[in-house]
Amino acid sequence: MRDLNRLVRFLAYTLELLVLFMLQETPGLLPGIYGARPVLALPAGLAIAMFEEETPAMAFGIAAGLLCDFGYSGVLGYHGLVLGVLCYFISLAVRSFMQGNLATALLAGLVSLGLVMGGQWLFFYYLLGYSSPGYAFTRHYLPKYLYTMLFVPLLYLLNRGLSEALHPSDKQGF
């Protein structure tokens, strides 16, 4: 029975990532703020990591990151690699050091999304020598970061509900 619950949970997470990817990539569905649209797969991967063990968390982080790589026309693998590592450590931290709650999810989202998007700006804009890196940061990367952060609490609560519904024996106080 435990394996069936795990399989259903993993299928639900996969479906969630695919639906969120389709929502973020559909033009005109989510309104742009200063021309930036949210990247919904990133906070979904982070939220999933808070409720799974390290290896599945890393796998879903890689999957969410690769979906983002497919959506952007950048270097394939950057987001998959970075999000896989971040999700592994978020899962490890929540299971070992921190309590999984909304405040932890916001803190993890704040730091992790900042690292992903800040690294994207640094490696793919600033270090390549494009002109006006400050303008690009404040007019594109920062609005995208803040807009994506708005979805962290919603996706945390969605994944907490999925985890509680499909973990009937695990009552960890989430």
Side-chain angles (χ1 to χ4, degrees), residues 118-137:
Q120 184 183 11
W121 171 78
L122 179 69
F123 294 128
F124 301 124
Y125 197 88
Y126 184 77
L127 292 178
L128 292 179
Y130 287 103
S131 63
S132 305
Y135 180 81
F137 183 78

Side-chain angles (χ1 to χ4, degrees), residues 103-172:
T104 304
L106 288 170
L107 179 64
L110 191 71
V111 172
S112 298
L113 292 175
L115 288 173
V116 170
M117 291 184 189
Q120 184 183 11
W121 171 78
L122 179 69
F123 294 128
F124 301 124
Y125 197 88
Y126 184 77
L127 292 178
L128 292 179
Y130 287 103
S131 63
S132 305
Y135 180 81
F137 183 78
T138 58
R139 296 293 181 191
H140 177 69
Y141 290 96
L142 191 59
K144 181 170 58 169
Y145 169 73
L146 295 173
Y147 199 2
T148 303
M149 273 300 297
L150 293 176
F151 290 92
V152 169
L154 176 69
L155 292 171
Y156 169 80
L157 294 173
L158 172 76
N159 285 296
R160 185 180 76 178
L162 274 174
S163 178
E164 288 176 355
L166 299 172
H167 269 151
S169 63
D170 294 345
K171 300 295 180 195
Q172 297 177 358

Side-chain angles (χ1 to χ4, degrees), residues 46-58:
L46 298 174
I48 291 168
M50 294 189 72
F51 298 103
E52 290 301 323
E53 295 174 0
E54 292 85 2
T55 303
M58 181 177 60

